[in-house]
Amino acid sequence: MKKIFLTILLTAGSLFAEINVDATYATMGAIAKRIGGDNVHVVVLGSSKYDPHFIVPKPSLLAKLRRADLLIINGGGLELGWLPPLIKSANNGKIQVGAQGFLDMSHFIKMIDKPASVSRAFGDIHAQGNPHYSTDPHQVSIMAKAIAKKLSQIDPAHANEYQQNLEQFLAKWNAYLTNYDNKMAACKVKKIVQYHELYNYFLRRYDITNIGNIEPLPGIAPSSKHTLELINAMKANGVKKILQDVYHEKRTAKFIAAKTGATVSVIPHEVGAVKGSDTLENFYNTIAQRICK
C-alpha cells in the first residue's frame, strides 16, 4: 500500500513540477512566460540595463544554469562574449549546445545585415548578421512558436496546454500588431540616427531610414572626425531624431543634438530597459512612442 501511495505522489509531483527555463534576455523571457504559463519558472540571465554583448558571468548565473531544463538564447553571436564558458562550467547536459534543452532563437529568424566578410577592421560585427531582431514586434510570433514547440518536446505531459497558450497568445498578438502597424503608418519620423545598430529590424519593418550611426564602426567609440561628418549628414538630410540606447554614453548624442536641433530619444532594446517598458506590449509601445513623437 505504501509503495502504491509513493508511486501516486511521485507521479503527481512530476505532473505539477515546473520546468526551469533560463532565457539570456528579457524579451525572450517574457514570451516564454506567456507560453509556459504556470508550468514554467522563467529566469532571465542578462539585465536589460546593460550591454547585451557583455553580461558579467557571475557565479549566480552558473547556479541558475545548473538547474535549467531549457536554455533559450538569442544567438547570432550576441552571447558569444559571456555565455559559452558558463554553459561549459554548469555541466548540465540538458542545456549543452545541440541538446534537447537548448534553443537558439536565431535559427528561426531571417537575419539581416550579414557581412560579406568578417574582419576586425570592420569593428565588432556578427558573422551571422544583426542579432538585435527582437526590436521588431513581428518577430514575437516566430519566437513564441519556437518556444511552444520546444516546451512541448521537453514536457510532453503539458504539450496541449502549451499549444493552447500559444494559440491564445497569437490571437491577441495579431490583433495588437494590426493596431500597432496602423499607428506606425502614421509616424512622421522617416529618418533617424542611432548610436549602435540595435533597431535595424524595427526601422526596416516601418520604412524608417537610418542615415548613420554615432559609432563609426560597431563597438568603436565615436571620433571627432566621424561626429562632425555625422552632423553634416544630418543637416543635409534634415534628420531631427537620434535614437539613444540605455547603456552607451550619452554625451555624444547630446552634443550632436545641440549642433543639429535634433531630439535625443532613449529607446529600450529589451523589455524593462527603460521605465514603463516592463511588458511585451509596453516595450514595443515605448519604442513607437519615443521614435514617433
Side-chain angles (χ1 to χ4, degrees):
M1 188 67 179
K2 289 182 179 179
K3 289 183 177 180
I4 295 174
F5 182 67
L6 181 60
T7 301
I8 293 173
L9 284 177
L10 290 173
T11 302
S14 65
L15 287 175
F16 293 101
E18 286 185 330
I19 299 298
N20 291 315
V21 178
D22 286 5
T24 50
Y25 304 112
T27 305
M28 293 183 297
I31 299 170
K33 288 179 182 178
R34 298 284 185 93
I35 304 305
D38 295 335
N39 295 318
V40 302
H41 174 68
V42 179
V43 170
V44 175
L45 301 177
S47 171
S48 300
K49 306 297 183 182
Y50 303 112
D51 187 340
H53 302 82
F54 303 109
I55 301 299
V56 178
K58 300 178 181 178
S60 59
L61 299 185
L62 191 59
K64 293 170 183 176
L65 287 167
R66 284 174 176 157
R67 295 191 296 266
D69 300 299
L70 171 61
L71 173 62
I72 307 172
I73 77 165
N74 184 93
L78 189 56
E79 295 97 345
L80 197 58
W82 62 276
L83 186 61
L86 286 173
I87 295 178
K88 183 178 180 180
S89 298
N91 197 28
N92 180 351
K94 295 179 182 178
I95 62 167
Q96 297 300 311
V97 177
Q100 189 177 45
F102 181 84
L103 177 60
D104 184 336
M105 198 62 71
S106 68
H107 292 171
F108 302 87
I109 305 296
K110 185 177 181 180
M111 306 282 277
I112 65 173
D113 304 333
K114 292 183 179 181
S117 61
V118 178
S119 168
R120 293 302 298 174
F122 302 120
D124 186 19
I125 60 174
H126 298 278
Q128 298 170 355
N130 189 318
H132 304 293
Y133 52 79
S134 62
T135 56
D136 175 4
H138 283 263
Q139 305 292 357
V140 170
S141 299
I142 297 173
M143 291 189 277
K145 291 175 183 177
I147 291 172
K149 182 177 180 180
K150 180 59 71 174
L151 284 173
S152 296
Q153 290 174 348
I154 66 174
D155 184 23
H158 297 105
N160 289 337
E161 291 179 50
Y162 298 135
Q163 185 59 36
Q164 290 173 4
N165 291 346
L166 174 65
E167 291 172 0
Q168 292 172 4
F169 174 75
L170 290 180
K172 293 179 180 179
W173 194 253
N174 288 336
Y176 171 80
L177 284 179
T178 297
N179 184 52
Y180 193 91
D181 290 349
N182 288 337
K183 289 182 178 179
M184 284 306 303
C187 183
K188 296 181 180 179
V189 174
K190 296 301 179 185
K191 296 179 182 179
I192 58 89
V193 159
Q194 59 183 330
Y195 199 109
H196 181 77
E197 292 191 344
L198 285 166
Y199 307 102
N200 286 12
Y201 287 85
F202 183 95
L203 300 175
R204 179 174 293 193
R205 174 72 61 183
Y206 296 109
D207 297 320
I208 300 173
T209 301
N210 176 36
I211 67 107
N213 306 315
I214 293 178
E215 287 180 324
L217 294 169
I220 305 300
S223 64
S224 298
K225 178 182 178 181
H226 175 74
T227 300
L228 180 59
E229 290 174 348
L230 189 58
I231 289 171
N232 291 335
M234 289 177 66
K235 290 179 178 179
N237 288 275
V239 178
K240 297 298 181 181
K241 177 72 66 170
I242 302 172
L243 308 188
Q244 171 74 49
D245 56 81
V246 299
Y247 59 86
H248 281 107
E249 55 86 17
K250 299 176 177 62
R251 183 179 64 255
T252 305
K254 292 178 180 178
F255 175 80
I256 294 172
K259 297 295 182 181
T260 60
T263 301
V264 179
S265 293
V266 179
I267 311 295
H269 64 288
E270 288 283 348
V271 167
V274 303
K275 186 177 180 180
S277 65
D278 54 336
T279 68
L280 283 170
E281 291 83 359
N282 288 343
F283 168 51
Y284 292 108
N285 289 344
T286 302
I287 293 177
Q289 290 165 1
R290 296 193 177 188
I291 287 180
C292 296
K293 70 176 182 181

